[in-house]
Amino acid sequence: KAGVTQTPRYLIKTRGQQVTLSCSPISGHRSVSWYQQTPGQGLQFLFEYFSETQRNKGNFPGRFSGRQFSNSRSEMNVSTLELGDSALYLCASSPGGQPEAFFGQGTRLTVV
Amino acid sequence: QKEVEQDPGPLSVPEGAIVSLNCTYSNSAFQYFMWYRQYSRKGPELLMYTYSSGNKEDGRFTAQVDKSSKYISLFIRDSQPSDSATYLCAMSNSNYQLIWGAGTKLIIKP
C-alpha cells in the first residue's frame, strides 16, 4: 500500500506570495490532518478534514486554509507569506474512527 | 502548563544501553497513547500505539501507560546508533484529536 504523498518536497517563496501544498492520503483513508513543525514550537495542529468537511481547526490565522476533495486528496494554502511561516508542513492520514495517524515526508517551506 | 510535557533532551547514551523516554500529561480523559519516531528531515513514523493502561511490547520497544500517575514511557532495549532520532509522544481522548509532546532528541553513541 502506498504511503502518504506530499508535494512538493521543498519550496522557496518570497514574503507576500501565496503557496499551495498537496497531500495524497493512504488509499481508503478519509481523514487528513495538517501540521506545522518548527524547531521552537514543535508540531502544531493546523486543521483536519474528513469526507471533504473541516472537522477540527487549530489556532492559526485565516491566512492558512485548506480543502479536501472527493477522492480524499487535500490541499493547504497559505496566503501573504511571512518569514515566520518557514517550517516543515506535514500531512497525516487516518482511516477515521481511530486515533493513529500516518505521516508523509513533509514539505519544507522557506520564505525569504 | 501544557497538556503534554516531554523533555526535549538531547538524551545521549552509549550503544547497547536501555533507553527510557517519558511524557506526563494533565488531561485524565486521554485514552489513546502513541509514540512516534522522527528522523531528521523526515515525517514522524508511528512506533507504538496503546489503548488505556498497561504495557505493550514490540521487539526491542516497550510502551508503558500509567493512567493513575498520568505518565507514559517508551523503553528501548539494546539501543543501536540507528535509533538516534527524535521521539514524540502523542495522546488523545475519544475525539481522536492528537495532542503532542515537544519530542525528545535521542543520540546513541557507537
Side-chain angles (χ1 to χ4, degrees):
Chain A
K1 215 177 203 182
V4 178
T5 303
Q6 289 188 248
T7 56
R9 289 290 313 277
Y10 302 93
L11 210 47
I12 300 175
K13 289 286 188 179
T14 305
R15 257 185 315 174
Q17 286 186 313
Q18 74 162 18
V19 67
T20 299
L21 312 181
S22 180
C23 172
S24 293
I26 292 170
S27 177
H29 285 195
R30 295 165 65 190
S31 169
V32 173
S33 297
W34 287 89
Y35 292 86
Q36 183 194 66
Q37 188 176 38
T38 57
Q41 298 295 321
L43 260 177
Q44 292 191 279
F45 173 73
L46 281 155
F47 28 67
E48 182 211 0
Y49 286 87
F50 182 85
S51 293
E52 302 180 65
T53 301
Q54 189 180 86
R55 190 159 68 171
N56 288 298
K57 189 177 188 307
N59 190 24
F60 276 81
R63 300 185 297 109
F64 292 83
S65 63
R67 59 179 175 168
Q68 187 180 33
F69 302 97
S70 58
N71 62 358
S72 292
R73 191 177 71 84
S74 178
E75 287 182 349
M76 190 193 102
N77 185 275
V78 188
S79 63
T80 320
L81 283 166
E82 300 176 0
L83 295 178
D85 297 332
S86 295
L88 181 66
Y89 288 88
L90 291 159
C91 166
S93 81
S94 173
Q98 59 190 70
E100 299 149 283
F102 300 88
F103 284 84
Q105 298 280 49
T107 294
R108 184 162 296 279
L109 172 65
T110 303
V111 182
V112 297
Chain B
Q1 186 188 2
K2 292 182 178 179
E3 274 191 288
V4 179
E5 299 278 0
Q6 184 177 13
D7 187 335
L11 175 63
S12 183
V13 300
E15 183 177 355
I18 295 175
V19 175
S20 172
L21 302 165
N22 311 293
C23 289
T24 59
Y25 63 94
S26 56
N27 188 344
S28 57
F30 287 149
Q31 301 174 44
Y32 303 93
F33 304 91
M34 276 146 279
W35 286 96
Y36 285 79
R37 176 177 63 194
Q38 186 175 22
Y39 292 114
S40 181
R41 301 189 175 277
K42 302 285 188 184
E45 168 195 12
L46 180 62
L47 269 180
M48 304 284 285
Y49 163 43
T50 309
Y51 171 70
S52 195
S53 282
N55 293 1
K56 187 171 185 178
E57 190 173 319
D58 184 1
R60 297 185 295 112
F61 298 88
T62 300
Q64 277 187 358
V65 174
D66 182 349
K67 291 190 75 178
S68 61
S69 302
K70 297 191 181 69
Y71 189 89
I72 70 170
S73 301
L74 178 71
F75 297 97
I76 307 174
R77 290 185 300 280
D78 187 26
S79 56
Q80 304 294 311
S82 58
D83 295 327
S84 298
T86 296
Y87 290 79
L88 299 123
C89 64
M91 45 198 84
S92 76
N93 57 21
S94 56
N95 71 4
Y96 302 144
Q97 187 171 347
L98 292 175
I99 309 299
W100 295 84
T104 299
K105 184 173 183 177
L106 174 65
I107 301 168
I108 308 296
K109 297 176 294 184

